[in-house]
């Protein structure tokens, strides 16, 4: 939603930029460079080379137009530079986004990047000194000849469409959530709009600034996601759990969840199947109604219920326990009874089910803080395991022993 909102603001103000005060237009001309420097520093600090390269590509486009072909001037340099830059920009963004993230310390990757920019620099130098107009004309064919609304060339339009389509399809195959990967699609659309409106003063600088801001925000959100989200299960992690304690108030409930015999399961079927079980359990726990699921660590999970009592959530916890017990995990095992022609055992598919144990606790006079309540719920969890597993136990303090009736002390008998 924030990507859509920023894109709408960028286009809306680009259309209205002719009504801006001249002082604003002067400032906006330098805004891309400041944003690119800030964004580049954040990218390098977070060891992210992809955002840096996209920012640097947009930075170079603004620099080339500013020095060689200002939008308010009509020149031969502009007629040469515009079709070439509008073609190479989407190709560069596409290349940097498609290549895997290697960080800023990968020598071979950095050598490839340096070679790519050097070849483009030599190409531009040759282009601006030789001015091969006949050659440039081949990639400067317009999509709509004579149109006053659409100015991108056919080659540039095709490059933007292919890059946007491929990167959009790539989002479906990503194993990890990266907001930057989503933001690149919006950046392609914004830069296509900026190049199309390039002739209008300030539009390129304004839209490039918004594109740089999108990259900075995506880096911040990605860093937050990595810090607070468990990569395997997709649930919020221990850091997010600890921070959630600050907003619980006085009425809440905490449940600790543990997968039964998980170590034995891992040793028998392997860690890949164990990861599959963790994902399945996490996905079921994430359906909890009235609460929030977190991965505590290992095979343990935590459920937080704000403003809830034990009676209001115990049925929901039982529902989660039963749903997980009904789930089936398919694993491959060696079937000794079914041998192949060469005498080797064929792998057979086996259905395996898993169960969970739960401990539930609420604040009381002895356990007043969320940390204490969590440990109290953990005590209930271990009681559930000792009671045979696949159970829910509500943690309660042990009842105080009844007082002995007061009376006369028995006489002391001496030998």
């Amino acid at each position: 939603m924030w990507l859509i909102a920023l894109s709408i603001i960028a286009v809306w103000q680009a259309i209205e930029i002719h009504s801006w005060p001249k002082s604003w237009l002067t400032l906006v001309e330098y805004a891309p460079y400041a944003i690119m420097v800030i964004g580049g520093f954040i990218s390098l600090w977070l060891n992210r080379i992809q955002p840096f390269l996209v920012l640097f590509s947009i930075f170079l486009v603004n620099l080339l137009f500013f020095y060689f072909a200002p939008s308010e001037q009509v020149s031969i340099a502009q007629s040469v530079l515009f079709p070439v830059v509008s073609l190479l920009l989407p190709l560069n963004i596409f290349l940097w986004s498609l290549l895997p993230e290697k960080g800023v310390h990968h020598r071979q990757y950095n050598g490839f990047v340096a070679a790519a920019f050097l070849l483009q620099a030599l190409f531009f130098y040759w282009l601006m000194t030789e001015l091969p107009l006949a050659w440039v004309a081949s990639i400067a064919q317009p999509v709509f000849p004579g149109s006053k609304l659409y100015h991108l060339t056919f080659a540039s339009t095709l490059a933007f469409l292919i890059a946007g389509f491929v990167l959009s399809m790539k989002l479906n195959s990503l194993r990890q959530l990266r907001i930057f990967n989503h933001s690149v699609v919006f950046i392609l659309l914004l830069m296509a709009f900026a190049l199309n409106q390039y002739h209008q003063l300030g539009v390129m600088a304004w839209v490039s600034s918004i594109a740089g801001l999108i990259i900075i925000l995506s880096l911040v959100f990605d860093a937050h996601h990595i810090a607070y989200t468990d990569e395997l299960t997709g649930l919020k992690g221990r850091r997010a759990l600890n921070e959630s304690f600050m907003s619980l108030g006085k009425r809440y409930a905490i449940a600790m969840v543990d997968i039964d015999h998980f170590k034995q399961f891992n040793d028998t079927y392997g860690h890949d199947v164990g990861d599959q079980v963790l994902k399945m359990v996490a996905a079921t726990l994430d359906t909890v109604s009235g609460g929030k699921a977190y991965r505590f660590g290992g095979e343990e999970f935590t459920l937080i219920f704000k403003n809830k009592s034990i009676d209001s959530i115990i049925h929901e916890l039982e529902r989660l326990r039963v749903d997980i017990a009904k789930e089936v995990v398919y694993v491959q095992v060696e079937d000794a009874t079914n041998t192949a022609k060469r005498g080797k055992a064929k792998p057979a598919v086996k259905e395996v089910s898993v169960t969970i144990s739960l401990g539930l606790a609420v604040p009381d006079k002895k356990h007043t803080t969320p940390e204490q309540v969590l440990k109290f719920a953990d005590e209930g969890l271990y009681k559930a395991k000792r009671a045979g597993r696949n159970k829910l136990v509500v943690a309660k303090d042990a009842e105080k022993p009844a007082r002995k009736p007061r009376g006369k002390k028995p006489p002391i008998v001496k030998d």
Side-chain angles (χ1 to χ4, degrees), residues 89 150 152 156 160 186-197 207:
L89 178 61
Y150 194 82
L152 290 180
S156 174
F160 273 110
F186 286 84
I187 290 170
L188 278 169
L189 294 173
L190 288 175
M191 294 312 298
F193 171 80
L195 287 167
N196 186 63
Q197 301 297 116
V207 177

Side-chain angles (χ1 to χ4, degrees), residues 254 256 359-364 366-367 370-383 393-398:
I254 297 178
M256 287 296 294
L360 177 63
V362 294
D364 56 21
K366 185 178 179 181
H367 308 89
E371 291 80 6
Q372 292 172 341
V373 175
L374 186 142
K375 290 182 180 179
F376 196 30
D378 206 39
E379 294 176 11
L381 171 63
Y382 281 101
K383 289 179 181 179
V393 171
V394 179
K396 295 180 180 179
D397 282 328

Side-chain angles (χ1 to χ4, degrees), residues 287-292 304-308 313 316:
T287 65
V288 63
S289 176
K292 181 71 175 177
I304 302 294
F305 298 89
K306 191 175 181 180
N307 296 321
K308 298 289 184 179
I313 62 175
E316 177 65 9

Side-chain angles (χ1 to χ4, degrees), residues 2 4 36 71 117 129 137 182 205 246 282 289 323 330 338 382 410:
W2 68 268
I4 295 174
M36 301 305 166
S71 57
F117 278 120
T129 54
H182 292 78
M246 295 185 290
S289 176
D323 285 353
Y330 297 94
N338 187 12
Y382 281 101

Side-chain angles (χ1 to χ4, degrees), residues 46-249:
L46 296 176
N47 196 28
R48 298 282 301 277
I49 193 64
Q50 284 180 323
F52 174 81
L53 294 175
V54 173
L55 280 167
F56 191 61
S57 298
I58 297 174
F59 169 82
L60 288 178
V61 168
N62 281 267
L63 200 64
L64 287 170
F65 279 133
F66 182 79
Y67 282 104
F68 294 104
S71 57
E72 65 273 14
Q73 298 178 7
V74 178
S75 62
I76 296 178
Q78 185 185 97
S79 62
V80 173
L81 199 63
F82 177 79
V84 177
V85 169
S86 60
L87 172 62
L88 290 180
L89 178 61
L91 293 180
N92 273 270
I93 295 177
F94 175 68
L95 177 62
W96 310 137
S97 304
L98 195 62
L99 291 175
E101 176 64 65
K102 295 292 186 179
V104 299
H105 303 294
H106 195 281
R107 292 184 179 181
Q108 293 180 345
Y109 188 91
N110 293 342
F112 168 77
V113 168
F117 278 120
L118 179 61
L119 288 174
Q120 291 183 74
L122 294 174
F123 172 71
F124 273 109
Y125 178 79
W126 171 79
L127 188 72
M128 300 308 296
T129 54
E130 299 297 330
L131 293 177
L133 298 181
W135 182 85
V136 174
S138 61
I139 62 171
Q141 296 295 327
V143 178
F144 305 107
S147 175
K148 295 183 179 180
L149 296 177
Y150 194 82
H151 307 286
L152 290 180
T153 65
F154 180 81
S156 174
T157 302
L158 188 62
F160 273 110
L161 289 175
I162 293 175
F165 176 78
V166 174
L167 293 179
S168 298
M169 292 299 100
K170 180 187 174 184
L171 297 177
N172 297 325
S173 61
L174 291 176
R175 294 181 60 186
Q176 300 177 357
L177 173 64
R178 285 288 187 270
I179 298 177
F180 169 73
N181 295 319
H182 292 78
S183 67
V184 168
V185 178
F186 286 84
I187 290 170
L188 278 169
L189 294 173
L190 288 175
M191 294 312 298
F193 171 80
L195 287 167
N196 186 63
Q197 301 297 116
Y198 160 72
H199 62 281
Q200 191 170 353
L201 181 64
V203 169
M204 175 62 71
W206 163 250
V207 177
S208 296
S209 300
I210 297 297
L213 179 61
I214 287 175
I215 293 177
I216 292 174
L217 291 176
S218 69
L219 285 169
V220 173
F221 293 147
D222 275 341
H224 180 275
H225 178 79
I226 293 171
Y228 286 84
T229 306
D230 177 61
E231 184 176 350
L232 177 65
T233 63
L235 296 179
K236 296 296 183 182
R238 188 78 167 268
R239 183 192 298 264
L241 172 65
N242 292 335
E243 289 194 3
S244 70
F245 288 164
M246 295 185 290
S247 60
L248 284 181

Side-chain angles (χ1 to χ4, degrees), residues 269-285:
Y269 301 110
H271 290 282
D272 290 340
V273 179
D275 290 346
Q276 185 181 346
V277 170
L278 287 170
K279 291 178 183 178
M280 181 272 291
V281 172
T284 306
L285 294 178

Side-chain angles (χ1 to χ4, degrees), residues 233-343:
T233 63
L235 296 179
K236 296 296 183 182
R238 188 78 167 268
R239 183 192 298 264
L241 172 65
N242 292 335
E243 289 194 3
S244 70
F245 288 164
M246 295 185 290
S247 60
L248 284 181
K250 295 183 178 180
R251 189 168 180 261
Y252 58 90
I254 297 178
M256 287 296 294
V257 183
D258 187 88
I259 302 175
D260 296 330
H261 302 294
F262 184 73
K263 185 179 184 303
Q264 180 181 351
F265 190 93
N266 254 350
D267 294 340
T268 304
Y269 301 110
H271 290 282
D272 290 340
V273 179
D275 290 346
Q276 185 181 346
V277 170
L278 287 170
K279 291 178 183 178
M280 181 272 291
V281 172
T284 306
L285 294 178
D286 201 31
T287 65
V288 63
S289 176
K292 181 71 175 177
Y294 300 84
R295 187 179 181 188
F296 187 78
E299 68 271 23
E300 288 189 311
F301 300 86
T302 305
L303 299 173
I304 302 294
F305 298 89
K306 191 175 181 180
N307 296 321
K308 298 289 184 179
S309 62
I310 290 178
D311 293 336
S312 63
I313 62 175
I314 198 165
H315 294 293
E316 177 65 9
L317 291 177
E318 284 291 346
R319 194 268 302 175
L320 293 173
R321 183 186 64 80
V322 172
D323 285 353
I324 290 174
K326 290 180 180 178
E327 291 286 343
V328 176
V329 178
Y330 297 94
V331 297
Q332 287 189 347
V333 296
E334 296 295 334
D335 187 359
T337 62
N338 187 12
T339 57
K341 294 181 179 179
R342 297 183 179 180

